[in-house]
């Protein structure tokens, strides 16, 4: 047993260590809580609805020296740049995106993320909203400069306006890598079309033409119909062209002046109704211009030229006559329509309102015209009288023909009626003949039936008599002759009567025998004695 007094004393824990332990534990807890708080409130990023998150690498490598000449002004790590750095350094694209300074091209959508603010600049952006009736165009801030003469970026590594458009609605756009410009959509009203000019595209195959094929740079042959059109102003230019019918009045200073065949100046005022041919709107717009250009370059020159040509064929006095004016108007419309159609304009009508001959001959022409009209009126009256006489003659002829026709109709009616009566009588006689034939056939059949019935009845009676005579014959033959059988028959018939008579005690025959039964009286007896 060990002596208690001889135990080795245990070393005691210093008091300061005992006091330090809770402090260490508390410090660790505080650091842990602080780390959690920093992680939650500093590192955590909440991306709400209608927001996106764009990361900017604040730390990392700079652009390699061999790529500095081509990409020295780039701060966006877009896919083509990442691929070029990876190919140059031998790193993976993921290592390049995470290990180099710059703006990340890809954005992050709605959600919760944890990114160290020391290594990343975290930029929350609102989604891009394009209102109704507007269109958005993205302007790319990175990439290679656009080569001349391109106006939009069609490749993924080209800087400048992008050819695609953003329609109305919300779009997730990295606004550190792109700018978004908004433009109003163009409204093409009814009765109008849109002529499209492609500002960027392939070179036309056919040179020196007003319009080009689809996709070629220049004015497109196909136009846009009425409606709301969303387009990229950097890629296309749309001109609205009116294709409805237009009217142009050639009045006053715009009236047409030309010399007649006899060298007098004639003034014509009129109205032309026209419209651009729908199949050549683009060509006419490019070749001639707007409505005023079409009037000055096509309509008025053609109208004046044709009026001069056609008007020089007539004398001044002929322009006062209504018939001449109508003929002149018809020729003017036909020629003007033909020439303008070739140039892409459809002439609906060309109306001559007024034709003014020179004042010095207007009165003389008017008097002559009045005389011509008077002569024409007299001629018309004569023709009217002749026509009236002819009408009376025709009416008399018609009356005679009508009477003849009535008589012929009456005669035809009588003949038709007689023929109908004849047909009815013949039909009735034929019907009666057929009925008589049917009655005769019925009588013959009835006589044959009666004859057959009489023959049958006679045969029946004969057979009955034969049936009765056959036993009699046999009986006669049994007795040898008929006399013996007759005696037997007679005796058989009479025997019962004789027997009745003989057996009857009453009656006259019995009285005869009664007399023989009565005895004679005494006198009788005396006589006998």
């Amino acid at each position: 047993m060990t002596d208690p007094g001889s135990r080795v004393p245990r070393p005691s824990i210093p008091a300061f260590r005992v006091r330090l332990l809770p402090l260490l534990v508390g410090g660790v807890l505080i650091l842990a809580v602080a780390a959690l708080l920093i992680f939650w409130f500093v590192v955590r990023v909440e991306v709400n609805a209608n927001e996106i998150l764009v990361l900017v690498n604040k730390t990392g490598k700079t652009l390699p020296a061999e790529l500095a000449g081509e990409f020295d002004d780039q701060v966006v790590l877009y896919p083509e740049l990442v691929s070029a750095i990876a190919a140059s350094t031998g790193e993976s694209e993921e290592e390049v995106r995470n290990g180099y300074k710059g703006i990340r091209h890809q954005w992050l959508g709605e959600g919760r993320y944890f990114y160290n603010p020391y290594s990343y600049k975290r930029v929350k952006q609102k989604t891009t909203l394009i209102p109704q009736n507007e269109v958005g165009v993205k302007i790319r801030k990175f990439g290679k400069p656009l080569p001349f003469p391109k106006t939009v970026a069609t490749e993924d590594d080209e800087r400048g306006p992008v050819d695609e458009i953003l329609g109305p609605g919300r779009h997730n756009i990295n606004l550190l890598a792109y700018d978004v410009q908004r433009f109003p959509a163009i409204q093409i009203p009814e009765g109008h079309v849109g002529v499209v000019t492609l500002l960027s595209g392939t070179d036309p195959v056919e040179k020196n033409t007003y319009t080009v094929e689809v996709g070629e740079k220049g004015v497109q042959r196909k136009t846009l119909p009425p409606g709301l059109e969303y387009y990229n102003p950097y890629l296309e230019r749309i001109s609205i062209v009116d294709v409805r019918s237009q009217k142009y009045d050639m009045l006053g200073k715009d009236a047409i002046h030309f010399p007649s065949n006899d060298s007098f100046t004639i003034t014509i005022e009129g109205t032309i109704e026209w419209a651009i041919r729908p199949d050549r709107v683009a060509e006419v717009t490019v070749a001639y211009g707007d409505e005023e250009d079409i009037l000055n370059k096509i309509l008025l020159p053609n109208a004046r030229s044709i009026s001069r040509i056609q008007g020089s064929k007539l004398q001044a006095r002929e322009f006062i006559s209504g018939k001449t004016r109508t003929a002149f108007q018809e020729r003017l419309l036909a020629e003007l329509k033909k020439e303008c159609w070739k140039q892409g304009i459809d002439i609906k009508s060309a109306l001559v309102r007024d034709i003014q001959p020179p004042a010095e001959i207007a009165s003389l022409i008017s008097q002559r015209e009045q005389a011509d009209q008077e002569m024409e009126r007299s001629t018309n009256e004569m023709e009217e009288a002749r026509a009236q006489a002819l009408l009376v003659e025709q009416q008399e002829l018609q009356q005679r023909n009508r009477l003849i026709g009535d008589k012929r109709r009456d005669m035809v009616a009588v003949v038709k009626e007689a023929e109908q009566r004849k047909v009815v009588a013949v039909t009735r006689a034929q019907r009666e003949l057929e009925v008589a034939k049917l009655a005769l056939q019925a009588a013959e059949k009835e006589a044959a039936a009666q004859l057959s019935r009489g023959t049958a009845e006679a045969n029946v009676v004969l057979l009955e008599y034969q049936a009765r005579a056959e036993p009699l014959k046999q009986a006669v033959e049994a007795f040898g002759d008929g006399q013996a059988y007759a005696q037997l028959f007679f005796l058989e018939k009479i025997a019962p009567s004789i027997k009745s008579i003989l057996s009857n005690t009453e009656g006259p025959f019995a009285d005869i025998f009664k007399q023989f039964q009565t005895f004679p009286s005494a006198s009788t007896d005396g006589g006998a004695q």
Side-chain angles (χ1 to χ4, degrees):
M1 177 180 259
T2 306
D3 187 2
S6 63
R7 271 193 250 176
V8 179
R10 295 180 179 177
S12 60
I13 300 175
F16 75 92
R17 291 187 178 181
V18 175
R19 291 193 298 271
L20 185 59
L21 183 60
L23 294 176
L24 291 175
V25 174
V28 171
L29 291 176
I30 291 173
L31 290 175
V33 172
L36 288 175
L37 292 176
I38 292 173
F39 184 78
W40 185 257
F41 290 102
V42 178
V43 177
R44 178 178 64 91
V45 180
E46 294 285 347
V47 181
N48 301 320
N50 298 327
E51 289 183 343
I52 63 171
L53 177 65
V54 178
L55 298 177
V56 181
N57 297 340
K58 298 168 61 177
T59 61
K61 304 175 184 179
T62 58
L63 198 65
E66 58 271 18
L67 298 176
E70 185 177 1
F71 299 99
D72 55 352
D73 59 345
Q74 307 299 319
V75 293
V76 180
L77 298 173
Y78 59 95
E80 287 72 15
L81 177 59
V82 171
S83 299
I85 296 175
S88 175
T89 61
E91 298 174 296
S92 66
E93 293 185 359
E94 185 65 25
E95 291 175 343
V96 173
R97 276 190 290 269
N98 295 327
Y100 283 79
K101 295 179 181 180
I103 302 170
R104 291 198 179 186
H105 181 266
Q106 185 62 36
W107 48 266
L108 300 174
E110 177 183 353
R112 178 178 296 164
Y113 304 96
F114 298 92
Y115 285 99
N116 180 6
Y118 173 77
S119 302
Y120 303 98
K121 182 180 180 180
R122 303 162 305 174
V123 181
K124 289 199 296 183
Q125 300 175 350
K126 291 290 184 180
T127 55
T128 302
L129 176 63
I130 305 297
Q132 188 68 25
N133 298 334
E134 287 190 5
V135 63
V137 178
K138 293 193 299 182
I139 310 298
R140 190 177 292 150
K141 299 179 180 180
F142 57 86
K144 303 174 184 178
L146 283 177
F148 181 82
K150 292 183 67 174
T151 60
V152 292
T154 56
E155 303 295 336
D156 294 336
D157 60 345
E158 290 181 341
R159 184 187 307 179
V162 180
D163 58 345
E164 297 178 357
I165 62 173
L166 303 175
R170 294 186 180 274
H171 302 273
N172 296 326
I173 306 296
N174 183 352
L175 297 180
L176 297 180
Y178 297 91
D179 281 334
V180 176
Q181 295 183 358
R182 298 186 312 185
F183 300 92
I186 188 169
Q187 178 68 44
I188 303 175
E190 290 294 331
H192 297 70
V193 297
V195 177
V196 180
T197 302
L198 198 62
L199 304 177
S200 181
T202 59
D203 292 331
V205 176
E206 187 177 355
K207 306 296 183 180
N208 301 322
T209 57
Y210 291 116
T211 57
V212 297
E213 299 295 335
V214 177
E216 295 180 348
K217 183 170 56 178
V219 179
Q220 303 296 297
R221 186 172 291 110
K222 185 177 180 181
T223 58
L224 299 176
L228 188 63
E229 190 68 28
Y230 297 95
Y231 74 107
N232 188 340
Y234 291 99
L235 179 62
E236 298 175 333
R237 183 175 66 244
I238 298 178
S239 302
I240 299 178
V241 180
D242 192 347
V243 294
R244 297 174 298 179
S245 294
Q246 309 289 334
K247 285 187 177 181
Y248 177 71
D249 294 323
M250 298 180 294
L251 304 175
K253 62 182 181 64
D254 293 330
I256 300 175
H257 308 276
F258 60 88
S260 64
N261 185 264
D262 47 3
S263 301
F264 288 100
T265 301
I266 306 298
T267 301
I268 292 181
E269 293 182 347
T271 299
I272 297 177
E273 183 180 359
W274 62 277
I276 302 176
R277 286 175 54 182
D279 58 331
R280 296 184 61 181
V281 175
E283 181 182 348
V284 171
T285 303
V286 177
Y288 301 104
D290 57 11
E291 179 179 340
E292 185 176 355
D293 293 327
I294 293 173
L295 287 173
N296 294 327
K297 296 177 183 179
I298 300 178
L299 292 182
L300 292 180
N302 280 294
R304 289 166 181 163
S305 175
I306 295 171
S307 297
R308 290 188 180 98
I309 294 173
Q310 296 297 329
S312 63
K313 299 177 182 179
L314 302 175
Q315 295 184 357
R317 61 183 180 82
E318 295 179 316
F319 285 96
I320 299 179
S321 172
K323 293 181 179 180
T324 305
R325 176 183 300 184
T326 302
F328 175 78
Q329 178 176 316
E330 292 176 353
R331 289 196 299 269
L332 174 62
L333 175 60
E335 291 296 327
L336 186 61
K337 190 176 184 66
K338 178 181 177 182
E339 293 299 324
C340 292
W341 182 265
K342 298 177 183 178
Q343 297 174 279
I345 303 300
D346 183 14
I347 302 298
K348 306 292 185 180
S349 65
L351 175 63
V352 177
R353 292 185 174 183
D354 187 23
I355 299 179
Q356 302 173 3
E360 59 269 25
I361 66 168
S363 59
L364 297 177
I365 295 176
S366 178
Q367 293 175 5
R368 181 172 179 177
E369 186 66 24
Q370 290 178 1
D372 291 341
Q373 291 178 358
E374 185 67 26
M375 183 181 297
E376 185 177 358
R377 183 167 58 253
S378 300
T379 303
N380 292 336
E381 290 177 354
M382 291 174 62
E383 292 294 333
E384 184 178 355
R386 188 179 294 107
Q388 186 67 25
L390 181 61
L391 177 62
V392 172
E393 181 181 354
Q394 291 178 350
Q395 289 177 348
E396 292 296 333
L397 182 61
Q398 290 176 356
Q399 180 68 17
R400 188 187 69 177
N401 292 336
R402 184 165 55 252
L403 294 175
I404 294 174
D406 292 340
K407 294 301 180 181
R408 287 180 178 176
R409 281 195 299 272
D410 294 340
M411 182 178 66
V412 171
V414 172
V415 173
K416 289 291 183 182
E417 184 178 359
E419 291 178 351
Q420 291 177 355
R421 287 199 299 269
K422 175 183 176 183
V423 171
V424 171
V426 171
T427 302
R428 185 184 302 113
Q430 290 179 348
R431 186 169 60 250
E432 291 175 355
L433 176 61
E434 294 296 331
V435 171
K437 288 181 179 180
L438 293 176
L440 177 59
Q441 293 176 358
E444 291 176 349
K445 292 181 179 179
E446 181 65 23
Q450 291 181 0
L451 178 60
S452 299
R453 187 165 54 250
T455 303
E457 291 177 354
N459 292 333
V460 170
V461 172
L462 177 61
L463 291 174
E464 288 180 354
Y465 282 115
Q466 286 178 353
R468 294 178 184 178
E470 185 65 25
L472 182 59
K473 177 182 177 183
Q474 294 177 358
V476 170
E477 290 177 351
F479 283 91
D481 57 3
Q483 185 176 0
Y485 179 76
Q487 291 177 356
L488 175 63
F489 182 77
F490 174 75
L491 292 176
E492 286 179 351
K493 292 294 182 180
I494 200 173
S497 299
I498 295 174
K499 181 179 180 181
S500 175
I501 294 172
L502 292 179
S503 61
N504 191 4
T505 59
E506 297 297 333
F509 188 75
D511 291 342
I512 297 174
F513 288 97
K514 285 181 180 181
Q515 293 177 4
F516 289 101
Q517 291 178 357
T518 304
F519 294 102
S521 64
S523 59
T524 306
D525 291 338
Q529 292 177 353

